[in-house]
């Protein structure tokens, strides 16, 4: 069954065709990122205007690249929430118009749940239930997943999201936006043990807090310790402390829920140090860890189409 997916929750306009929830036939993604760089963050009005301009073209290309006809599509899935309201509205309106004209159903999916699903695309089967960590520019959450329609939040950030902390620290270090990939590059040349940064304690053990560590970096620079420490060491030490915290809490959640699979997703999951550290720590346990392909860590419509297919199938079964 061919599903057309639409993702427009932030700066991306993405349309994909996915077969039977797993095979990605096409995924056409445009980003308005370059237009936001001078502002150091996403400007919602610029994002939604560009999505309005590009969504038709992206859908056209996605269908052509998949080598199918519009009439072969059986479902339109779109990101329903959370996201920028104007951006979501573009995707939702396009999905509804397409579904109406093709006389096929449409289905809205949760953005974070679709990040969880990214590991199921073009990949081996993952045993359920599992714990999932989603680390992106807007969110840092731990989930307990019994099934795609049975997902429970175990913990989330009390302040900055993990990607947001990378972006803010990058700005403090004079790097470009979005800062995650630049911090990763700089960290490769630094000593991760040089400075002891610590993520703040949280009341609930599976929650996260990153604003303290970001402020610690800020004070280090403000108080001119930059003359003592190299920027590369600051980047490496910051990255290491954040990853340590993510790995520790994920392992804790897996043990508490007694699961045998751990699924990591979201933009920050593209970070090589994070992937290596998870693999290293989890290889000492009987819990298997999974990541999406790097291109599927960022916002994309393939994960939306894939999850849409699974939820649609479940609804059909339940209504039989
Ligand atoms: O999932 P995503 O594409 O968008 C949201 O839903 O937010 O994630 C974007 C975030 C940005 O904060 C970016 O800095 C971060 O993911 N990111 C990274 C890396 N690549 C992207 N953070 C650390 N290391 C990376 N390699
Ligand atoms: Zn995202």
């Amino acid at each position: 069954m061919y599903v057309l997916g639409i993702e427009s929750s932030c700066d991306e306009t993405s349309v994909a065709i996915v077969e039977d929830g797993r095979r990605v036939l096409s995924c056409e993604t445009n980003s308005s990122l370059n237009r936001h760089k001078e502002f150091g963050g996403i400007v919602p009005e610029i994002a939604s205007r560009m999505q309005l301009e590009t969504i038709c073209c992206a859908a056209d290309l996605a269908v052509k690249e998949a080598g199918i006809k519009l009439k072969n599509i059986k479902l339109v899935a779109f990101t329903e929430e959370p996201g920028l309201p104007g951006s979501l509205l573009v995707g939702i309106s396009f999905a509804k118009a397409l579904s109406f004209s093709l006389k096929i159903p449409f289905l809205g999916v949760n953005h974070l749940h679709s990040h969880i699903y990214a590991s199921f695309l073009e990949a081996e089967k993952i045993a359920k239930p599992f714990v999932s960590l989603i680390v992106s520019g807007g969110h840092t959450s731990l989930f307990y997943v019994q099934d795609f329609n049975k997902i429970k939040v175990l913990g989330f950030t009390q302040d900055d999201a993990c990607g947001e902390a990378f972006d803010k620290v990058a700005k403090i270090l004079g790097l470009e936006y979005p800062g995650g990939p630049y911090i990763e590059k700089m960290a490769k040349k630094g000593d991760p043990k040089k400075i002891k940064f610590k993520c703040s304690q949280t009341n609930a053990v599976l929650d996260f807090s990153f604003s303290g560590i970001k402020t610690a970096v800020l004070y280090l620079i403000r108080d001119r310790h930059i003359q003592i420490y190299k920027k590369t060491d600051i980047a490496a030490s910051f990255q290491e402390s954040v990853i340590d915290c993510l790995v520790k809490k994920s392992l804790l959640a897996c043990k508490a829920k007694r699961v045998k699979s751990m699924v990591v997703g979201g933009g920050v999951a593209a970070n090589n140090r994070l992937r290596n550290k998870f693999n290293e720590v989890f290889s000492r346990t009987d819990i298997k860890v999974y990541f999406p392909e790097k291109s599927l860590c960022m916002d994309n419509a393939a994960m939306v189409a894939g999850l849409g297919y699974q939820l649609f199938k479940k609804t059909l079964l339940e209504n039989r």
Side-chain angles (χ1 to χ4, degrees):
M1 176 174 148
Y2 298 125
V3 178
L4 183 141
I6 299 168
E7 152 58 31
S8 67
S9 64
C10 192
D11 59 305
E12 272 94 3
T13 314
S14 183
V15 183
I17 306 289
V18 172
E19 187 180 8
D20 295 338
R22 284 192 180 269
R23 262 190 75 215
V24 182
L25 302 185
S26 65
C27 186
E28 198 55 46
T29 306
N30 301 310
S31 167
S32 53
L33 201 60
N34 281 333
R35 297 204 195 167
H36 305 280
K37 280 197 177 197
E38 63 177 293
F39 303 101
I42 305 296
V43 181
E45 183 68 19
I46 296 178
S48 57
R49 276 175 192 271
M50 189 162 160
Q51 280 157 334
L52 203 55
E53 285 165 21
T54 55
I55 197 159
C56 289
C57 190
D60 218 23
L61 282 173
V63 173
K64 277 200 187 103
E65 202 188 308
I68 61 163
K69 298 256 180 306
L70 264 181
K71 63 173 192 228
N72 302 131
I73 298 166
K74 297 291 176 244
L75 173 73
V76 183
F78 60 91
T79 305
E80 191 169 37
E81 54 153 12
L84 303 171
S87 294
L88 289 171
L89 195 60
V90 174
I92 294 169
S93 309
F94 188 83
K96 287 187 176 172
L98 189 64
S99 120
F100 183 71
S101 66
L102 295 176
K103 297 188 177 62
I104 56 172
F106 63 85
L107 190 149
V109 308
N110 177 290
H111 180 61
L112 299 178
H113 296 179
S114 65
H115 270 303
I116 299 174
Y117 192 79
S119 288
F120 287 78
L121 294 165
E122 306 279 359
E124 57 182 302
K125 290 224 160 109
I126 302 171
K128 293 193 210 90
F130 59 85
V131 165
S132 182
L133 170 75
I134 298 305
V135 267
S136 71
H139 304 271
T140 308
S141 304
L142 271 168
F143 296 98
Y144 177 55
V145 183
Q146 286 170 287
D147 210 336
F148 299 121
N149 59 350
K150 236 176 156 191
I151 301 177
K152 198 177 148 219
V153 177
L154 298 175
F156 55 93
T157 182
Q158 297 300 306
D159 38 60
D160 289 349
C162 185
E164 189 182 356
F166 269 87
D167 295 341
K168 287 179 176 170
V169 166
K171 194 170 175 194
I172 296 168
L173 294 176
L175 300 170
E176 264 190 63
Y177 176 85
Y182 296 101
I183 294 265
E184 179 177 9
K185 205 167 157 208
M186 190 178 248
K188 277 195 194 132
K189 297 184 197 131
D191 176 0
K193 294 201 182 98
K194 193 80 187 178
I195 310 158
K196 277 263 162 290
F197 288 120
K198 264 185 90 182
C199 287
S200 318
Q201 295 265 357
T202 48
N203 286 338
V205 71
L206 295 180
D207 280 346
F208 299 90
S209 169
F210 298 109
S211 74
I213 193 167
K214 169 203 69 190
T215 310
V217 175
L218 182 69
Y219 287 172
L220 208 68
I221 306 280
R222 191 197 63 180
D223 299 342
R224 300 189 183 280
H225 288 303
I226 196 71
Q227 285 149 359
I228 306 166
Y229 298 111
K230 291 191 227 142
K231 276 190 182 181
T232 47
D233 290 340
I234 299 176
S237 302
F238 160 77
Q239 177 178 267
E240 200 65 15
S241 326
V242 169
I243 293 172
D244 268 350
C245 164
L246 296 174
V247 172
K248 266 189 205 135
K249 298 215 172 190
S250 298
L251 194 56
L252 213 60
C254 286
K255 289 193 172 153
K257 299 312 262 181
R258 295 167 201 246
V259 297
K260 293 284 167 265
S261 324
M262 170 77 214
V263 172
V264 189
V268 187
N271 184 292
N272 284 312
R273 180 64 193 139
L274 179 144
R275 291 167 97 99
N276 292 340
K277 188 85 191 225
F278 263 94
N279 283 328
E280 187 190 310
V281 172
F282 278 75
S283 70
R284 288 185 233 123
T285 71
D286 57 350
I287 305 159
K288 238 182 136 185
V289 61
Y290 299 87
F291 297 94
E293 275 179 28
K294 281 202 183 164
S295 61
L296 296 171
C297 286
M298 312 299 169
D299 290 349
N300 68 84
M303 62 191 192
V304 176
L307 178 60
Y309 168 82
Q310 301 292 354
L311 294 178
F312 185 68
K313 226 172 59 173
K314 283 198 183 302
T315 318
L316 284 186
L317 285 175
E318 277 161 20
N319 292 335
R320 241 186 213 172

